[in-house]
Amino acid sequence: MSEPRHFLSLLDLSPEELDRLIDRAIELKRLQHAGTPHASLPGRVLGMIFEKSSTRTRVSFEAGMTQLGGSGMFLSSRDTQLGRGEPIEDTARVLSRMVDCIMIRTFEHEKVERFAEYSRVPVINGLTDLVHPCQLLADMQTYREHRGSIAGRTVAWVGDGNNMCHSYINAARQFDFRLRIACPEGFDPDPDILAAAGARCEILRDPMQAADGADLVVTDTWVSMGQEEEKAQRQAVFGAYKVTREMMAAAAPDALFMHCLPAYRGMEVEAEVLDAPDSVVWDEAENRLHAQKALLEFLLGAG
Ligand code: CP
Ligand code: NVA
């Protein structure tokens, strides 16, 4: 049995594979909007393990599998033996004999890596504390649709050096753009992930400086899942890192705004920025569906 390909991070696919995947995502979107059937994965089953909440990830994977002629199975750790202590390695061995692909959303990244090691079928990272690669497929598709290639462009990340920030750093490597990260001291991204990206990524403390002339401004919640107890402390520290209209005015004239959602209006982003015409957050959310359908086809050898 050949080793399956996994998608645990953006670095698991080559830049060429990522580009082709986005081409296919755009094509799948066209087919979907035209009402043209595109059942390339008939009878295939995706198991979806959620140890954290989700709206977009769950619905996009489940709807996507149905549209490709297969099905998605929601597995909450609360209702499976995983929640009662069955080891991840055993769960991986059992599930991967029954389904064709497995998506996991959990806390420790190492858990997804261990799951993949014991799985016979492709494993997709649906978000860990470390990275959120599926979101970046959608974000890169969205940028391409609105502004063409992101290669050589400048992206400003404003806020926490979190899982989304780490995935933007990896995307800067794979899609060849510059990334300015504006985060408060003590909330920097992982130094190894940052160092691996070399000179294309830099940390700035001043969000206005990061946004200056940027082609894309991106932010995320200040309080990620699992950090609920730090909420008050984080809100106090991150006050100056709200994406404002002034910040967007300092960016390039055709700059876009992105946010993976869910967004907290008035916290990390002003409501007026989120709801402005240069905000493409709803396209980003929709593209989770198309980009992940392209990913499923890629990993399952269809399309
Ligand atoms: N952006 C994102 O992953 O959303 P959900 O948490 O709703 O899946
Ligand atoms: N950084 C956020 C992203 C949610 C989609 C979190 O991990 O909760």
Side-chain angles (χ1 to χ4, degrees):
M1 195 178 268
S2 63
E3 286 295 308
R5 290 284 298 268
H6 301 298
F7 186 63
L8 309 188
S9 124
L10 280 179
L11 305 177
D12 287 336
L13 267 63
S14 69
E16 296 70 32
E17 286 172 332
L18 288 168
D19 267 343
R20 280 201 300 275
L21 194 148
I22 286 169
D23 290 343
R24 179 62 181 160
I26 291 169
E27 170 68 4
L28 285 167
K29 183 174 186 172
R30 197 185 60 72
L31 295 174
Q32 175 77 13
H33 286 189
T36 308
H38 46 279
S40 52
L41 296 174
R44 304 290 195 100
V45 180
L46 171 72
M48 309 186 299
I49 301 172
F50 283 93
E51 299 200 310
K52 287 178 173 175
S53 304
S54 169
T55 297
R56 279 144 288 267
T57 304
R58 176 180 177 181
V59 174
S60 54
F61 270 114
E62 198 166 325
M65 277 307 287
T66 304
Q67 290 161 12
L68 293 174
S71 59
M73 185 188 293
F74 175 73
L75 300 162
S76 153
S77 57
R78 277 184 295 279
D79 311 313
T80 58
Q81 300 290 2
L82 258 181
R84 297 182 61 251
E86 183 166 13
I88 199 90
E89 295 84 350
D90 294 359
T91 307
R93 283 186 278 219
V94 171
L95 289 187
S96 68
R97 285 171 182 238
M98 297 176 178
V99 302
D100 302 284
C101 190
I102 295 162
M103 185 241 82
I104 316 177
R105 168 169 286 198
T106 189
F107 295 85
E108 307 87 356
H109 188 73
E110 182 260 335
K111 216 167 174 178
V112 173
E113 290 179 333
R114 225 154 13 102
F115 196 103
E117 201 181 322
Y118 287 86
S119 172
R120 285 184 175 184
V121 300
V123 174
I124 297 172
N125 178 357
L127 180 146
T128 62
D129 290 343
L130 193 71
V131 283
H132 191 10
C134 290
Q135 183 67 51
L136 263 290
L137 297 180
D139 288 18
M140 294 298 100
Q141 179 185 345
T142 307
Y143 191 89
R144 169 108 76 86
E145 288 174 341
H146 283 270
R147 297 286 184 265
S149 172
I150 199 165
R153 302 290 191 146
T154 298
V155 178
W157 172 270
V158 180
D160 195 9
N162 64 8
N163 47 6
M164 275 298 299
C165 179
H166 292 153
S167 281
Y168 262 90
I169 298 172
N170 288 339
R173 291 171 64 179
Q174 299 294 69
F175 293 90
D176 195 23
F177 57 82
R178 280 187 299 276
L179 181 64
R180 298 185 195 139
I181 300 163
C183 56
E185 255 173 89
F187 297 88
D188 290 4
D190 180 274
D192 294 334
I193 295 179
L194 187 66
R200 31 168 104 65
C201 299
E202 58 176 332
I203 294 193
L204 304 168
R205 297 295 168 209
D206 178 1
M208 284 301 281
Q209 200 188 341
D212 185 29
D215 300 294
L216 169 64
V217 178
V218 195
T219 191
D220 184 16
T221 179
W222 295 335
V223 187
S224 284
M225 289 180 276
Q227 299 173 335
E228 290 74 12
E229 283 176 11
E230 300 168 29
K231 188 171 175 180
Q233 180 221 341
R234 283 177 162 270
Q235 286 178 352
V237 174
F238 279 94
Y241 292 82
K242 185 196 305 282
V243 178
T244 60
R245 279 163 292 174
E246 291 70 32
M247 226 177 262
M248 290 307 295
D254 65 346
L256 297 176
F257 171 76
M258 289 194 195
H259 188 312
C260 65
L261 306 177
Y264 300 89
R265 287 173 171 80
M267 302 302 290
E268 73 273 10
V269 58
E270 286 181 349
E272 293 82 353
V273 170
L274 194 76
D275 299 321
D278 53 7
S279 163
V280 289
V281 298
W282 314 119
D283 291 341
E284 244 186 300
E286 177 187 336
N287 285 340
R288 293 292 303 276
L289 174 71
H290 311 298
Q292 288 159 197
K293 283 163 73 178
L295 175 67
L296 289 161
E297 284 189 347
F298 174 83
L299 294 174
L300 293 172

